[in-house]
């Protein structure tokens, strides 16, 4: 790996850690009457695997309305190691929105969000993903799709545990799964509903979210 | 004792179910549509099909060899099961050749979807890489799922040479197709009565590297044992023999055209060509 890339990665890691720690310290300072946090401090941190956006994916997000249901808007960075790409590791950048319209109280501190629906777009800036340059098959309308940008949609569920904060108030720790697909799988399935089954185009993502 | 056996069975069953669920989950747990992950049973398919072929006696016996040529299954998944069903009714068949563009987007899952059907064939099948199989991260995916982009094998005295001719995918760099490699394969005639070349893009096509066309076609024309040159790509069935007594160029049907070619070879240059609809 070239030195400047390592430097750049370190810089990104420092920035991310700073952002997360900033979130923690901002909540740590809050008292019984919580002071409003600066707009840019995220509401939660995310860790995910699968779902077409990385083997190890991390990021942060905002939840404008927390209870009784949630709307989450997340920004994530995923990593796919070289052994699963055949050549070089991928970084995948994702913007994702999830809405959970129902909430079921399971126990005093546990609740279930039985349905989550969401969508995402992601970008994989990998040179080995053959780009559809106009000088290739553009003249035939070949390769009409974008190679590095993908859109996806998913359905899932989420279980959340409410934990007291040392400074008062509560924070939720939740686990979720998502069954989804992407635009290319969908356009493969739609005209071939006898040749392909819905199960064949599904992807699974599993993750955790922690309120900051 | 009986209870013990039963509980052990139950544990085994539970363990089996757990393993299956975990395996399915792992398979669903996709890191990227461009990742090249696949279960071991869906990797190195070319090598596995070659092993299967080597173990099969020539079904027609004697000098005759019969095989199917189909191509361009890309995103026509509804048309693949009827194709497989029709091919499985053919008698005396040794193998199926697929002329590339197995996938549309070059994704590993697409190649695996097609294999899900082609593995139901009664005979081994062999693919050559198409331009769509090289889209996205397809070059890596194809090599993982199927195998080499250029390869060769001999069966029933017939040498099959499968060559990557998708020059445009390599920005017409002058090295695709690999003519020196092709010359080497055509020159190696030990135990070979006749030869068949299969490629995806035909040499007269705009997606073939024009700088390589003269060397490629003269190599083919100078190979005395070469009977057939099979290609896919443009969904237009045609048969031509520009030089008498030399190689016959056949452009085959795509899967979506609901036709395939049944080819029977015998002697040095004799062949019979039948179009089968399904």
């Amino acid at each position: 790996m070239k030195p400047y890339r390592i430097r750049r990665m370190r810089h990104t890691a420092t920035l991310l850690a700073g952002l997360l720690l900033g979130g923690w310290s901002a909540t740590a300072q809050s008292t019984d009457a919580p002071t409003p946090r600066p707009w840019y401090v995220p509401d939660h941190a995310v860790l995910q695997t699968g779902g077409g956006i990385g083997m190890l994916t991390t990021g942060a997000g905002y939840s404008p309305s927390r209870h009784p249901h949630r709307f989450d808007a997340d920004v994530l960075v995923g990593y796919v190691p070289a052994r699963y790409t055949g050549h070089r590791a991928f970084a995948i950048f994702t913007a994702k929105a999830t809405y959970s319209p129902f909430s079921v109280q399971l126990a005093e501190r546990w609740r279930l969000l039985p349905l989550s629906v969401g969508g995402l777009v992601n970008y994989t800036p990998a040179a080995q993903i053959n780009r559809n340059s106009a000088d290739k098959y553009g003249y035939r309308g070949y390769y009409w799709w974008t190679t590095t940008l993908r859109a996806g949609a998913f359905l899932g569920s989420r279980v959340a545990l409410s934990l007291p904060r040392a400074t008062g108030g509560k924070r939720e720790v939740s686990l979720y799964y998502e069954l989804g697909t992407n635009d290319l799988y969908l356009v493969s399935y739609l005209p071939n509903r006898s040749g392909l089954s819905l199960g064949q185009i599904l992807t699974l993502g599993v993750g955790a979210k922690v309120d900051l | 004792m009986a209870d013990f056996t039963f509980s052990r069975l139950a544990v085994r069953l539970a363990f089996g179910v757990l393993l299956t669920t975990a395996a399915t989950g792992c398979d669903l747990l996709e890191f990227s549509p461009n990742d090249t992950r696949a279960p071991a049973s869906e990797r190195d398919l070319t090598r596995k099909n070659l092993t299967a072929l080597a173990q099969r006696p020539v079904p027609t016996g004697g000098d005759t060899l019969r095989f199917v040529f189909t191509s361009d299954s890309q995103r026509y998944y509804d048309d693949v099961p009827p194709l497989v069903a029709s091919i499985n009714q053919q008698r005396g068949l040794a193998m199926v050749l697929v002329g590339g563009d197995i996938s549309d987007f070059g994704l590993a899952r697409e190649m695996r979807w097609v294999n899900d059907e082609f593995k139901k064939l009664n005979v081994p099948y062999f693919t050559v890489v198409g331009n769509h199989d090289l889209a996205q991260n397809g070059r890596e995916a194809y090599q993982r799922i199927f195998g080499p982009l250029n390869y060769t094998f001999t069966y029933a005295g017939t040498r099959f040479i499968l060559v990557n001719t998708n020059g445009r995918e390599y920005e017409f760099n002058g090295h695709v197709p690999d003519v020196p490699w092709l010359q080497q394969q055509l020159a190696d005639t030990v135990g070979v009565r006749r030869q068949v070349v299969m490629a995806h893009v035909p040499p007269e096509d705009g997606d073939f590297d024009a700088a390589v066309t003269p060397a490629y076609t003269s190599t083919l024309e100078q190979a005395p044992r070469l009977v057939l040159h099979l290609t896919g790509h443009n969904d237009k069935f045609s048969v031509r023999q520009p030089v008498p007594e030399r190689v016959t160029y056949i452009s085959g049907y795509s899967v979506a055209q609901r036709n395939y070619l049944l080819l029977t070879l015998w002697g040095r240059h004799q062949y019979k060509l039948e179009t089968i609809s399904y």
Side-chain angles (χ1 to χ4, degrees), chain A residues 70-188:
Chain A
R70 286 183 70 132
F71 174 82
D72 291 357
D74 304 332
V75 176
L76 306 160
V77 184
Y79 171 74
V80 184
R83 61 175 298 203
Y84 299 126
T85 71
H87 189 53
R88 280 201 181 169
F90 291 159
I92 304 176
F93 298 87
T94 302
K96 176 176 162 188
T98 314
Y99 179 59
S100 309
F102 313 109
S103 175
V104 181
Q105 204 66 37
L106 297 175
E108 195 192 335
R109 288 159 61 188
W110 291 86
R111 67 178 183 127
L112 175 73
L113 301 160
L115 175 70
S116 298
V117 295
L120 57 84
V121 285
N122 66 70
Y123 174 57
T124 312
Q128 88 192 60
I129 296 181
N130 204 351
R131 287 183 170 79
N132 302 338
S133 52
D135 61 323
K136 279 199 172 170
Y137 296 84
Y139 67 97
R140 277 189 183 176
Y142 257 43
Y143 296 177
W144 47 268
W145 70 98
T146 69
T147 50
T148 50
L149 274 176
R150 288 273 67 75
F154 55 84
L155 292 174
S157 310
R158 181 166 167 180
V159 62
L161 170 64
S162 182
L163 295 173
R165 292 180 194 272
T167 53
K170 284 173 181 169
R171 90 161 30 107
E172 272 194 337
V173 176
S174 57
L175 293 173
Y176 64 88
Y177 76 88
E178 297 161 357
L179 284 170
T181 194
N182 66 52
D183 50 348
L184 295 184
Y185 291 169
L186 201 63
V187 298
S188 299

Side-chain angles (χ1 to χ4, degrees), chain B:
Chain B
M1 200 62 199
D3 280 351
F4 172 72
T5 317
F6 173 75
S7 69
R8 208 165 59 168
L9 183 72
V11 166
R12 272 190 188 176
L13 271 176
F15 193 63
V17 169
L18 194 74
L19 272 182
T20 313
T21 313
T24 314
C26 283
D27 199 23
L28 282 181
L29 204 72
E30 183 172 272
F31 300 156
S32 160
N34 292 298
D35 75 34
T36 58
R37 285 198 314 155
S41 63
E42 297 173 53
R43 295 196 296 256
D44 295 323
L45 296 175
T46 299
R47 186 177 55 74
K48 286 169 188 165
N49 277 314
L50 284 174
T51 308
L53 184 71
Q55 287 162 356
R56 289 170 58 88
V58 182
T60 34
D63 177 58
T64 309
L65 177 64
R66 184 171 296 150
F67 61 91
V68 159
F69 176 52
T70 179
S71 192
D72 299 70
S73 59
Q74 53 186 106
R75 211 147 60 82
Y76 294 107
Y77 303 99
D78 276 1
D79 299 318
V80 180
L83 168 71
V84 170
S86 173
I87 293 175
N88 278 344
Q89 286 176 352
Q90 298 298 342
R91 290 159 71 172
L93 208 59
M95 70 184 89
V96 172
L97 297 185
V98 186
D101 279 2
I102 294 105
S103 67
D104 201 20
F105 308 117
L107 303 177
R109 254 204 217 202
E110 296 181 280
M111 299 176 195
R112 292 169 56 197
W113 290 337
V114 173
N115 178 58
D116 280 345
E117 293 305 318
F118 278 180
K119 73 183 179 194
K120 296 173 190 163
L121 286 166
N122 296 335
V123 293
Y125 75 95
F126 300 95
T127 62
V128 70
V129 69
N131 58 297
H132 279 260
D133 302 316
L134 295 168
Q136 304 260 135
N137 194 30
R139 201 174 305 181
E140 303 297 337
Y142 182 91
Q143 289 179 92
R144 193 94 197 268
I145 309 284
F146 291 106
L149 307 184
N150 291 327
Y151 67 101
T152 172
F153 63 91
T154 303
Y155 183 74
T158 312
R159 175 159 248 220
F160 291 87
I161 301 163
L162 301 95
V163 58
N164 174 13
T165 55
N166 307 293
R168 192 181 285 275
E169 288 300 321
Y170 297 81
E171 259 97 45
F172 295 136
N173 65 6
H175 300 292
V176 178
D178 185 344
V179 174
W181 178 85
L182 179 66
Q183 282 168 340
Q184 226 173 358
Q185 307 316 313
L186 288 166
D188 180 5
T189 54
V190 178
V192 174
R193 275 175 74 80
R194 57 201 168 216
Q195 297 161 329
V196 173
V197 170
M198 178 168 73
H200 179 65
V201 177
E204 70 277 11
D205 194 277
D207 299 330
F208 196 100
D209 191 342
V212 187
T213 308
Y216 183 81
T217 48
S218 73
T219 297
L220 297 179
E221 296 300 347
Q222 282 161 24
R225 294 177 204 221
L226 182 58
V227 187
L228 301 174
H229 181 271
L230 308 171
T231 52
H233 192 54
N234 48 23
D235 308 352
K236 270 188 202 131
F237 172 63
S238 69
V239 182
R240 59 190 189 92
Q241 191 181 35
V243 182
E245 303 295 305
R246 291 289 178 175
V247 57
T248 302
Y249 295 81
I250 299 177
S251 172
Y253 291 102
S254 70
V255 167
Q257 289 176 306
R258 293 272 185 153
N259 280 304
Y260 63 84
L261 297 177
L262 183 62
L263 285 150
T264 310
L265 305 186
W266 72 93
R268 280 205 166 245
H269 273 98
Q270 278 75 21
Y271 73 88
K272 188 174 139 198
L273 178 67
E274 293 163 83
T275 296
I276 314 288
S277 301
Y278 56 94

